[in-house]
Amino acid sequence: MRKAAAVPLSLFGVGLAGLAYASVVERNAFRLRRFDVPVLEPGQRPVRILHLSDLHLTPGRRRLIDWVRSLGALNPDLVVNTGDSISHPDAIAPLMHALEPLLSRPGLFVYGSNDMYEPRPKNPARYLWRTSKADYGQKIPTLPWEELGAAMAAEGWLDMNNTTARLKVGDLDVAVGGIHDSHINLDRYDLIAGPAPTAADLRLGVMHSPEPRNLTRFAADGYQLLLAGHTHGGQLCVPFYGALVTNCGIDRARVKGMSRHDSAYLHVSAGLGTSPYAPVRFACYPEASLLTLMPRRRGDASTHEVR
């Protein structure tokens, strides 16, 4: 009987060790990924975009706040925040403190669902058979999303929810189209639909959730580079297999990193945070990405990650 009991106890110990690693070690092992993206015309000077997403910030996340502050040393030409920045009503001041070294740079932002609705306790295993889209039955936002947007806009960052804009990034004239979060049915692509300005040096599409129906419309309208978050890279992954779920319509192979969607390049960030009710990551490090946009070469249609 003692030998029979040893196996469950051993498995229990392994489970506890795995949970401790996922919640304490990997969740705080922030990484910067670097990609070269050949999207510019020959002869144009490279520019660097820092892509942030899914901080899900709560006031006590000191390690995350300090790590984001350290990204100011990169001096990016543009910062793009694809949403789910906060998960607590008192998180705006800590978020702005985290972003402070980056706020002197040109910036863009869109909202995610967790910028509007405070997360609630739920069984995280439900993500294995359905997305979290049905969890947002609330009609009235419970988080100060308007104050969040106003704080970033006051620093000069552009609110790109269901709108378009033109801005100067380095030497480039950049046309941007952005949409609100499709995960809570606030995306209104029809408001920005139509060919992106061909005179622009770069046509950039930004969104929170990488739903294929929107990705296809961005690409068809001539946007060359699309940025999204939301997926957390799967958050709980299996080594040598990858993500189990994406929590949206995109396929598992493109749950994070660089890929293509029709004629456009697509970057999906695995994000930096987690829901406070599922504070774990496994085989899926929290990340930000630095995208160096490079001139195209003849026949060049691929990107590569810079180690």
Side-chain angles (χ1 to χ4, degrees), residues 164-224:
T164 60
R166 265 324 244 277
L167 74 160
K168 193 78 169 176
V169 178
D171 294 333
L172 300 184
D173 171 26
V174 179
V176 187
I179 54 173
H180 208 309
D181 188 9
S182 59
H183 203 60
I184 49 175
N185 299 317
L186 292 179
D187 55 319
R188 301 291 183 268
Y189 194 90
D190 285 346
L191 296 178
I192 69 166
T198 56
D201 297 315
L202 174 68
R203 299 177 294 279
L204 176 66
V206 295
M207 70 212 82
H208 179 63
S209 180
E211 285 295 341
R213 59 180 169 80
N214 286 324
L215 299 175
T216 296
R217 296 189 73 178
F218 272 113
D221 279 343
Y223 289 93
Q224 301 158 287

Side-chain angles (χ1 to χ4, degrees), residues 41-237:
E41 292 294 331
Q44 290 180 322
R45 185 178 302 175
V47 299
R48 300 188 304 162
I49 297 178
L50 178 63
H51 183 188
L52 304 175
S53 197
D54 297 88
L55 276 74
H56 291 275
L57 194 63
T58 54
R61 299 276 332 258
R62 286 300 327 167
R63 290 182 183 177
L64 174 55
I65 291 168
D66 291 344
W67 191 84
V68 173
R69 287 184 62 84
S70 75
L71 298 176
L74 297 172
N75 291 317
D77 298 292
L78 176 68
V79 184
V80 177
N81 176 4
T82 50
D84 275 5
S85 297
I86 60 174
S87 286
H88 191 280
D90 298 328
I92 294 178
L95 174 70
M96 299 308 293
H97 177 66
L99 296 177
E100 185 268 334
L102 296 165
L103 293 174
S104 62
R105 318 303 300 176
L108 315 169
F109 67 92
V110 291
Y111 296 124
S113 57
N114 284 147
D115 292 321
M116 306 185 71
Y117 300 102
E118 191 170 6
R120 296 179 295 184
K122 60 177 73 81
N123 177 9
R126 289 185 299 178
Y127 292 151
L128 295 177
W129 62 84
R130 66 168 179 82
T131 76
S132 62
K133 190 165 186 173
D135 295 341
Y136 296 97
Q138 307 170 70
K139 299 299 184 183
I140 300 176
T142 56
L143 288 176
W145 63 276
E146 292 175 304
E147 291 88 338
L148 169 66
M152 289 187 283
E155 298 294 337
W157 285 16
L158 300 181
D159 181 342
M160 295 307 306
N161 290 283
N162 298 327
T163 192
T164 60
R166 265 324 244 277
L167 74 160
K168 193 78 169 176
V169 178
D171 294 333
L172 300 184
D173 171 26
V174 179
V176 187
I179 54 173
H180 208 309
D181 188 9
S182 59
H183 203 60
I184 49 175
N185 299 317
L186 292 179
D187 55 319
R188 301 291 183 268
Y189 194 90
D190 285 346
L191 296 178
I192 69 166
T198 56
D201 297 315
L202 174 68
R203 299 177 294 279
L204 176 66
V206 295
M207 70 212 82
H208 179 63
S209 180
E211 285 295 341
R213 59 180 169 80
N214 286 324
L215 299 175
T216 296
R217 296 189 73 178
F218 272 113
D221 279 343
Y223 289 93
Q224 301 158 287
L225 175 62
L226 312 179
L227 304 183
H230 175 70
T231 66
H232 295 192
Q235 190 165 330
L236 298 176
C237 298

